[in-house]
Amino acid sequence: MNFPAELRYTKSHEWVRRSGDKLIVGITDYAQHEISDVVFIELPHVGQQVEQGKGISIVESVKAAFDIYAPVSGTVKAINTTLESDPAIVNQDPYGKGWFFELTSSKPSEFESLLTRDQYESMIRQSAAG
Amino acid sequence: MTTGLKTTAISDSKLLFEKSKSGKEGIFLPSRKFQDDFSRLIPADFQRKDHGDLPEITEPELVRHFVNLSKKNFSVDTHFYPLGSCTMKYNPKIHEDVASLDGFAWLNPSQTEDQVQGILQIFHELSRALCELTGMDEFTLQPAAGAHGELCGMMLTRAYHHSRGEGKRHQVLVPDSSHGTNPASAAQYGYEVVQIPSDARGRVDLKALEDAMSDRVACLMLTNPNTLGLFENDILKIREIVHRKGALLYYDGANLNALLGAVRPGDMGFDIVHLNLHKTFTTPHGGGGPGAGPVGVKKILAPFLPAPLVVKQGSRYGFDYHRPKSIGKVRSFFGNAGILLRAYVYIRMLGLEGLKRVSHDAVLSANYLRKKLSTAFLNPHNEFCMHEFVLSASNLESQNIHAGDIGKRLLDYGIHAPTVHFPLVVKEALMIEPTETESKETLDAFVEVMLKILKEAQETPELVRKAPHTMPIGRPDEVQAARKPILSFRDLKRDTQASPL
Amino acid sequence: MSYFPITVKDQAEMLETIGIEHFGQMFQAIPNELRNPKIDLPSPLSELETQSWFRELAGKNASSKTHSSFLGAGSYEHFIPAIVRHIIGRGEFYTSYTPYQPEASQGTLQALFEYQSLICELTGMDVSNGSHYDGSTALAESVLMTLHETKRRKVLMARSVHPDYRTVTQTYLTGTSFETEEIPFQSHFGLDLDYLKKHLTPDVASVVVASPNFFGLVEDLKEVETLVHQNGSLLILVSHPLSFGFYKSAKEWGADIVCGEGQPLGIPPGFGGPWLGYLAATRSLLRRIPGRLVGLTQDNAGRRAFCLTLQAREQHIRRERASSNICTNQALCAIAACVYMASLGKTGIRRIAELNLENAYYLRRALSNLKEVEILTDGSIFNEFVIRLKKPVDQVNQSLFQKGIISGLALERFYPELKEQMLVCATETKSKDQLDQFVEALKEVLK
């Protein structure tokens, strides 16, 4: 499974990419694999204020629904509307075309405390072993 | 690729619309009596321009269409349904005959009380019988289904606390093994749902319950026996914990088939009860309804019940609309009267002894199957069950076979799948409820088939993984169905045009 | 007893297999003090006795088969072709389970898909669900859909919507942060547009109107639609489904959601149920629609297949996050409606609508010739209208009942100000003789 080194991660399987003052968020390869075929994504609204750790988006497979949590507090600046018509791209390209939303962070320290690739990978390994 | 365009050569999955031919009619209507030309009499602006595309098809073709469709169904009349928490038992034929009598079927609910004494008497007697069987004080017959009864129960809960100046109670507790409707009903009415874990015995974790209890809790929703088929043996302690903090105890009656005449929710301390008449009182499931979900309450909650209630004054029956504290109404008129009627026919025919026999044989059959199957599959809670039990198919994980696959393979043997992957607290759950209306021979045949499938799973896993093989269709592509919903013939036409063959 | 296939001998063998001597041992988890309660039920009846007892009770009711009925008010006596009962009377339909196993439920699934398709054709809307409990709860859920969709908090509801529908919706909203406000009607029962204009504030999620409304009047919704949508609100239309055979469809009026009572579609009145709530909406509201949806797809061999879809909205998956708590709905009633609508077909739907129109218009004309009667619903109607008598309606109705007539609804029961006013209904089931007899009887009684 692929976990790019330049990204930061959460325990709830979101990834975060810093791009200037914006943070782009999606779900990890591990998450898309666990969810299996994504059939629908409910995205937050542009302009929505979000709080770290609160559910702001929902991913559905045929027989399950999963919450996606805000990795940091801030404001939603953009959403990936392509996901609404073609949710399968989350499975195909989770770190690229399958991004979910873009945030500006109100507490920069929160980004720094997110997991690194190595930390995330070892968390996955442990849960698989457990 | 287009969706579902491919049909077999002599297609019997054609839609009505595809059998339509201009100039055909399926109904003999009277001819017009009067000569009004409504296209001139009524403003043109009010008249329909686009008439839509209803099919044109004759009665003989319609009959064949629908009868052939019916043959693609499993049903209790044709198959065994060991479907946990659903109580798929035999639906007596007399129920249908009684419900279709003109004196019941052709009553307008706005008729005056003096014109409908017969049906009011039935409502009244049914309410009394349900009170007796559940140990409650008063019943409303309005809710149209179990989940609807739950919603009604949430409204009663709020009204009760509100009347006591305790409007701040905004949490509802549900065990993690509960039916999905419990948290959904509470949340739909604005309650915050707090989940209580099950303990190793498959019962409510008392410590966790005590920790969760506070003066913010409005009620605890509980199914007993729970969805593992186990009686909550600490029920009296649970009652104390909940009541001590001023909260109410709500009974989800989905599993009452285990306890008829033997134990009553009212005596266990429940304040609100809903029943699923289409389960315990064997009104037909109808492929997903109609049902009925009457709600019973203890005296303290009776003033809040929906209006009207049926009352008896002397020898006359009537409606009591004067209910100033009532929550209002949860359905138009008086609920699914025809379903209530069927349930009352059942109660009258069986009487108390018959109803006790229902639970007796249901529990006996469940334990018999449990005993016979628990060595082959995993039985996470190996103790006497009530009317149902939960096995785990996780011993087949190495074969990459899931509980759902076993359910699918059962279809090939003419047996409906058990409830699979529920309750969520058991991995690879197979939830089995035989009911009291299956013979020992059927139960034995089921055991034999289950053992055979187990063998197949080990020797020819592909056969099980790809099942069913003998049904009108194989496994449908549910991913495509959800990603690109085609929900009507019109959607299908559009889809076909967008990507022709 | 005939429903218990386990014999006494079976019971003994089964106990032995289980490894116990007494049945009671399986109840060991149940506290003793709870066991064997005293229960008082009437003694059991044989099937023979049951038949005659319930026949006797049925005989204590006056039905539209024993009397000539002019009562509608939300429950309608329509002709039902024999095919409907024969199809839904097949055990394969009525004793089947919710189609969670699509391979074993293609019959129910296809019939429900066809029901959805027919409702779309009838109403003109994009998507229909697989049924709701009844018209009142379909409306309550429609209202919730608009509140969630717009994230606004208020609903304007015409007071000319069926009283039970208003009460049920109000009951669903009591205790939540949402509220409803009623839009009054004018003297001849049309919606008070000025009131609507004044109260159409930015917090209004939706406006609910009925047409034909409770008083039988078909409303002109053109301006209503414009006003509602200009305000960013949604329009919910409640309608008698057969009226769409002649009158503008919900789509043509520009409604966002249409719902109502599907009972007129091949289901007997049955003293209020089991009925059928129909609910259809524009495609943009698809994800908000409560209840089951059947979709068309293909199976692993490329064959056409039907299955429940978008299930992840529902309670058995999302639990407290579900779009609605509904589980069991009215599937068999939806199949009845499917058979009925298919029987009517493209030409029949128009004809059944005209048969209703002609009886209602004939009766209204005939009654307008009586000097004791004043016609109050004088606009366009479908099969109902309001008349004013110069006597209390209850008293008139009692006299008419003596003449074999179940007369119209006394409106005072729901609208205290509408004294001496009666809501009269004439569906296609009434012969010319029955219509004339009603006029004659009323004339006599009012003398």
Side-chain angles (χ1 to χ4, degrees), chain B residues 199-234:
Chain B
D199 62 16
R201 307 164 305 152
R203 268 68 170 205
V204 172
D205 185 326
L206 288 184
K207 173 78 176 54
L209 176 63
E210 282 206 72
D211 291 347
M213 281 308 303
S214 71
D215 56 7
R216 292 183 310 265
V217 175
C219 89
L220 167 69
M221 298 178 89
L222 208 60
T223 310
N224 193 17
N226 65 23
T227 58
L228 292 164
L230 302 172
F231 193 88
E232 293 284 352
N233 44 352
D234 293 324

Short mmCIF file of all heavy atoms in Angstrom, two decimals, chain B residues 199-234:
data_model
loop_
_atom_site.label_atom_id
_atom_site.label_comp_id
_atom_site.label_asym_id
_atom_site.label_seq_id
_atom_site.Cartn_x
_atom_site.Cartn_y
_atom_site.Cartn_z
N ASP B 199 -21.56 -6.62 27.14
CA ASP B 199 -20.44 -7.25 27.85
C ASP B 199 -20.15 -8.63 27.25
O ASP B 199 -20.76 -9.02 26.25
CB ASP B 199 -20.71 -7.32 29.36
CG ASP B 199 -21.94 -8.17 29.68
OD1 ASP B 199 -22.38 -8.94 28.80
OD2 ASP B 199 -22.44 -8.06 30.81
N ALA B 200 -19.25 -9.36 27.89
CA ALA B 200 -18.83 -10.65 27.33
C ALA B 200 -19.98 -11.65 27.27
O ALA B 200 -19.96 -12.58 26.46
CB ALA B 200 -17.69 -11.22 28.16
N ARG B 201 -21.00 -11.44 28.11
CA ARG B 201 -22.14 -12.36 28.10
C ARG B 201 -23.16 -12.01 27.02
O ARG B 201 -24.21 -12.63 26.92
CB ARG B 201 -22.87 -12.32 29.45
CG ARG B 201 -21.99 -12.53 30.68
CD ARG B 201 -22.76 -12.07 31.93
NE ARG B 201 -23.22 -10.68 31.78
CZ ARG B 201 -24.29 -10.17 32.37
NH1 ARG B 201 -25.03 -10.91 33.16
NH2 ARG B 201 -24.63 -8.89 32.17
N GLY B 202 -22.88 -10.94 26.27
CA GLY B 202 -23.82 -10.52 25.24
C GLY B 202 -24.98 -9.72 25.80
O GLY B 202 -25.98 -9.50 25.14
N ARG B 203 -24.84 -9.27 27.05
CA ARG B 203 -25.89 -8.47 27.69
C ARG B 203 -25.41 -7.03 27.82
O ARG B 203 -24.23 -6.73 27.62
CB ARG B 203 -26.19 -9.01 29.09
CG ARG B 203 -27.32 -10.02 29.18
CD ARG B 203 -26.98 -11.32 28.55
NE ARG B 203 -27.99 -12.34 28.85
CZ ARG B 203 -27.73 -13.64 28.84
NH1 ARG B 203 -26.53 -14.09 28.54
NH2 ARG B 203 -28.69 -14.50 29.13
N VAL B 204 -26.37 -6.14 28.19
CA VAL B 204 -26.01 -4.75 28.46
C VAL B 204 -24.94 -4.72 29.55
O VAL B 204 -25.08 -5.39 30.58
CB VAL B 204 -27.25 -3.97 28.95
CG1 VAL B 204 -26.86 -2.57 29.42
CG2 VAL B 204 -28.28 -3.89 27.84
N ASP B 205 -23.88 -4.00 29.31
CA ASP B 205 -22.81 -3.85 30.29
C ASP B 205 -23.30 -2.90 31.39
O ASP B 205 -23.43 -1.70 31.19
CB ASP B 205 -21.56 -3.28 29.59
CG ASP B 205 -20.37 -3.21 30.52
OD1 ASP B 205 -20.57 -2.97 31.74
OD2 ASP B 205 -19.24 -3.39 30.03
N LEU B 206 -23.57 -3.49 32.57
CA LEU B 206 -24.21 -2.71 33.64
C LEU B 206 -23.36 -1.54 34.10
O LEU B 206 -23.86 -0.46 34.39
CB LEU B 206 -24.52 -3.62 34.83
CG LEU B 206 -25.67 -4.62 34.63
CD1 LEU B 206 -25.92 -5.37 35.93
CD2 LEU B 206 -26.93 -3.92 34.16
N LYS B 207 -22.06 -1.78 34.15
CA LYS B 207 -21.15 -0.72 34.60
C LYS B 207 -21.22 0.45 33.61
O LYS B 207 -21.35 1.61 33.99
CB LYS B 207 -19.73 -1.31 34.69
CG LYS B 207 -18.64 -0.31 34.97
CD LYS B 207 -18.62 0.05 36.47
CE LYS B 207 -17.47 0.98 36.84
NZ LYS B 207 -17.37 2.20 36.07
N ALA B 208 -21.16 0.11 32.32
CA ALA B 208 -21.21 1.16 31.29
C ALA B 208 -22.55 1.88 31.35
O ALA B 208 -22.62 3.11 31.17
CB ALA B 208 -21.01 0.55 29.91
N LEU B 209 -23.61 1.13 31.63
CA LEU B 209 -24.94 1.76 31.73
C LEU B 209 -24.97 2.74 32.88
O LEU B 209 -25.42 3.89 32.74
CB LEU B 209 -26.02 0.69 31.90
CG LEU B 209 -27.44 1.20 32.10
CD1 LEU B 209 -27.92 1.98 30.88
CD2 LEU B 209 -28.41 0.05 32.40
N GLU B 210 -24.46 2.30 34.04
CA GLU B 210 -24.46 3.21 35.19
C GLU B 210 -23.66 4.47 34.91
O GLU B 210 -24.07 5.57 35.27
CB GLU B 210 -23.89 2.49 36.42
CG GLU B 210 -24.93 1.59 37.01
CD GLU B 210 -24.76 1.33 38.49
OE1 GLU B 210 -25.01 2.26 39.26
OE2 GLU B 210 -24.41 0.19 38.83
N ASP B 211 -22.53 4.29 34.23
CA ASP B 211 -21.69 5.45 33.92
C ASP B 211 -22.40 6.42 32.97
O ASP B 211 -22.22 7.63 33.05
CB ASP B 211 -20.37 5.00 33.29
CG ASP B 211 -19.49 4.28 34.30
OD1 ASP B 211 -19.82 4.36 35.51
OD2 ASP B 211 -18.50 3.64 33.88
N ALA B 212 -23.20 5.84 32.07
CA ALA B 212 -23.85 6.69 31.07
C ALA B 212 -25.08 7.39 31.62
O ALA B 212 -25.54 8.39 31.08
CB ALA B 212 -24.24 5.85 29.85
N MET B 213 -25.63 6.85 32.72
CA MET B 213 -26.88 7.42 33.26
C MET B 213 -26.60 8.77 33.91
O MET B 213 -25.63 8.94 34.63
CB MET B 213 -27.47 6.50 34.31
CG MET B 213 -28.23 5.30 33.77
SD MET B 213 -29.51 5.67 32.55
CE MET B 213 -30.54 6.81 33.46
N SER B 214 -27.49 9.72 33.62
CA SER B 214 -27.40 11.02 34.27
C SER B 214 -28.76 11.68 34.13
O SER B 214 -29.67 11.10 33.54
CB SER B 214 -26.34 11.88 33.58
OG SER B 214 -26.82 12.27 32.30
N ASP B 215 -28.88 12.89 34.65
CA ASP B 215 -30.17 13.57 34.51
C ASP B 215 -30.36 14.17 33.12
O ASP B 215 -31.29 14.92 32.89
CB ASP B 215 -30.35 14.62 35.62
CG ASP B 215 -29.23 15.63 35.62
OD1 ASP B 215 -28.39 15.59 34.69
OD2 ASP B 215 -29.19 16.46 36.55
N ARG B 216 -29.44 13.86 32.22
CA ARG B 216 -29.64 14.27 30.82
C ARG B 216 -30.26 13.14 30.00
O ARG B 216 -30.63 13.33 28.85
CB ARG B 216 -28.30 14.67 30.19
CG ARG B 216 -27.69 15.94 30.75
CD ARG B 216 -26.41 16.27 30.00
NE ARG B 216 -25.53 15.11 29.93
CZ ARG B 216 -24.54 14.84 30.80
NH1 ARG B 216 -24.30 15.68 31.79
NH2 ARG B 216 -23.79 13.78 30.67
N VAL B 217 -30.37 11.96 30.59
CA VAL B 217 -30.87 10.81 29.83
C VAL B 217 -32.40 10.76 29.88
O VAL B 217 -32.99 10.80 30.96
CB VAL B 217 -30.28 9.50 30.38
CG1 VAL B 217 -30.91 8.29 29.67
CG2 VAL B 217 -28.77 9.50 30.21
N ALA B 218 -33.01 10.66 28.71
CA ALA B 218 -34.47 10.59 28.62
C ALA B 218 -34.96 9.15 28.72
O ALA B 218 -35.95 8.88 29.37
CB ALA B 218 -34.95 11.22 27.32
N CYS B 219 -34.27 8.25 28.03
CA CYS B 219 -34.70 6.85 28.13
C CYS B 219 -33.64 5.89 27.63
O CYS B 219 -32.70 6.28 26.93
CB CYS B 219 -36.04 6.62 27.43
SG CYS B 219 -35.95 6.19 25.72
N LEU B 220 -33.83 4.63 27.98
CA LEU B 220 -33.02 3.54 27.45
C LEU B 220 -33.93 2.68 26.59
O LEU B 220 -34.99 2.25 27.03
CB LEU B 220 -32.44 2.70 28.59
CG LEU B 220 -31.83 1.33 28.20
CD1 LEU B 220 -30.55 1.51 27.38
CD2 LEU B 220 -31.56 0.47 29.43
N MET B 221 -33.51 2.45 25.33
CA MET B 221 -34.30 1.58 24.45
C MET B 221 -33.68 0.19 24.48
O MET B 221 -32.47 0.04 24.29
CB MET B 221 -34.26 2.11 23.01
CG MET B 221 -34.87 3.48 22.85
SD MET B 221 -34.75 4.08 21.13
CE MET B 221 -36.28 3.44 20.44
N LEU B 222 -34.54 -0.81 24.71
CA LEU B 222 -34.00 -2.15 24.90
C LEU B 222 -34.88 -3.17 24.18
O LEU B 222 -36.10 -3.04 24.16
CB LEU B 222 -33.99 -2.44 26.40
CG LEU B 222 -32.97 -3.42 26.95
CD1 LEU B 222 -31.55 -2.94 26.67
CD2 LEU B 222 -33.18 -3.57 28.46
N THR B 223 -34.24 -4.16 23.60
CA THR B 223 -34.97 -5.30 23.04
C THR B 223 -34.71 -6.46 23.98
O THR B 223 -33.56 -6.69 24.35
CB THR B 223 -34.42 -5.65 21.64
OG1 THR B 223 -34.38 -4.46 20.86
CG2 THR B 223 -35.30 -6.65 20.94
N ASN B 224 -35.76 -7.15 24.39
CA ASN B 224 -35.56 -8.27 25.31
C ASN B 224 -36.53 -9.39 25.00
O ASN B 224 -37.73 -9.20 25.12
CB ASN B 224 -35.74 -7.79 26.75
CG ASN B 224 -35.24 -8.83 27.74
OD1 ASN B 224 -34.49 -9.74 27.38
ND2 ASN B 224 -35.65 -8.71 28.99
N PRO B 225 -36.06 -10.59 24.62
CA PRO B 225 -34.67 -10.96 24.42
C PRO B 225 -33.98 -10.06 23.39
O PRO B 225 -34.62 -9.59 22.47
CB PRO B 225 -34.74 -12.41 23.92
CG PRO B 225 -36.17 -12.61 23.51
CD PRO B 225 -36.98 -11.70 24.33
N ASN B 226 -32.69 -9.87 23.60
CA ASN B 226 -31.95 -8.96 22.73
C ASN B 226 -31.68 -9.60 21.37
O ASN B 226 -32.11 -10.72 21.11
CB ASN B 226 -30.66 -8.49 23.43
CG ASN B 226 -29.68 -9.63 23.67
OD1 ASN B 226 -29.71 -10.66 22.99
ND2 ASN B 226 -28.81 -9.45 24.65
N THR B 227 -30.97 -8.90 20.52
CA THR B 227 -30.80 -9.39 19.15
C THR B 227 -29.86 -10.60 19.07
O THR B 227 -29.72 -11.19 18.02
CB THR B 227 -30.29 -8.28 18.22
OG1 THR B 227 -29.05 -7.81 18.74
CG2 THR B 227 -31.26 -7.13 18.14
N LEU B 228 -29.25 -10.95 20.20
CA LEU B 228 -28.48 -12.20 20.22
C LEU B 228 -29.38 -13.37 20.63
O LEU B 228 -28.92 -14.51 20.74
CB LEU B 228 -27.31 -12.08 21.20
CG LEU B 228 -26.21 -11.10 20.79
CD1 LEU B 228 -25.32 -10.74 21.97
CD2 LEU B 228 -25.38 -11.66 19.65
N GLY B 229 -30.64 -13.05 20.88
CA GLY B 229 -31.58 -14.10 21.30
C GLY B 229 -31.46 -14.41 22.78
O GLY B 229 -31.95 -15.43 23.25
N LEU B 230 -30.79 -13.54 23.52
CA LEU B 230 -30.56 -13.80 24.95
C LEU B 230 -31.45 -12.90 25.80
O LEU B 230 -31.62 -11.72 25.49
CB LEU B 230 -29.09 -13.52 25.29
CG LEU B 230 -28.07 -14.35 24.49
CD1 LEU B 230 -26.66 -13.84 24.79
CD2 LEU B 230 -28.20 -15.83 24.84
N PHE B 231 -31.98 -13.49 26.85
CA PHE B 231 -32.79 -12.70 27.78
C PHE B 231 -31.85 -11.83 28.62
O PHE B 231 -30.84 -12.31 29.13
CB PHE B 231 -33.62 -13.62 28.67
CG PHE B 231 -34.68 -12.89 29.42
CD1 PHE B 231 -35.94 -12.70 28.86
CD2 PHE B 231 -34.43 -12.37 30.69
CE1 PHE B 231 -36.93 -12.00 29.54
CE2 PHE B 231 -35.42 -11.67 31.38
CZ PHE B 231 -36.67 -11.48 30.81
N GLU B 232 -32.19 -10.56 28.75
CA GLU B 232 -31.38 -9.66 29.58
C GLU B 232 -31.68 -10.03 31.04
O GLU B 232 -32.62 -9.51 31.64
CB GLU B 232 -31.75 -8.20 29.31
CG GLU B 232 -31.39 -7.69 27.93
CD GLU B 232 -29.89 -7.39 27.75
OE1 GLU B 232 -29.14 -7.43 28.76
OE2 GLU B 232 -29.48 -7.12 26.62
N ASN B 233 -30.87 -10.93 31.59
CA ASN B 233 -31.22 -11.45 32.92
C ASN B 233 -31.07 -10.42 34.03
O ASN B 233 -31.59 -10.60 35.12
CB ASN B 233 -30.44 -12.75 33.22
CG ASN B 233 -28.99 -12.64 32.84
OD1 ASN B 233 -28.58 -11.66 32.22
ND2 ASN B 233 -28.21 -13.61 33.21
N ASP B 234 -30.39 -9.31 33.72
CA ASP B 234 -30.27 -8.25 34.73
C ASP B 234 -31.38 -7.21 34.58
O ASP B 234 -31.24 -6.09 35.06
CB ASP B 234 -28.91 -7.53 34.57
CG ASP B 234 -27.76 -8.45 34.93
OD1 ASP B 234 -27.93 -9.26 35.85
OD2 ASP B 234 -26.71 -8.36 34.26
#
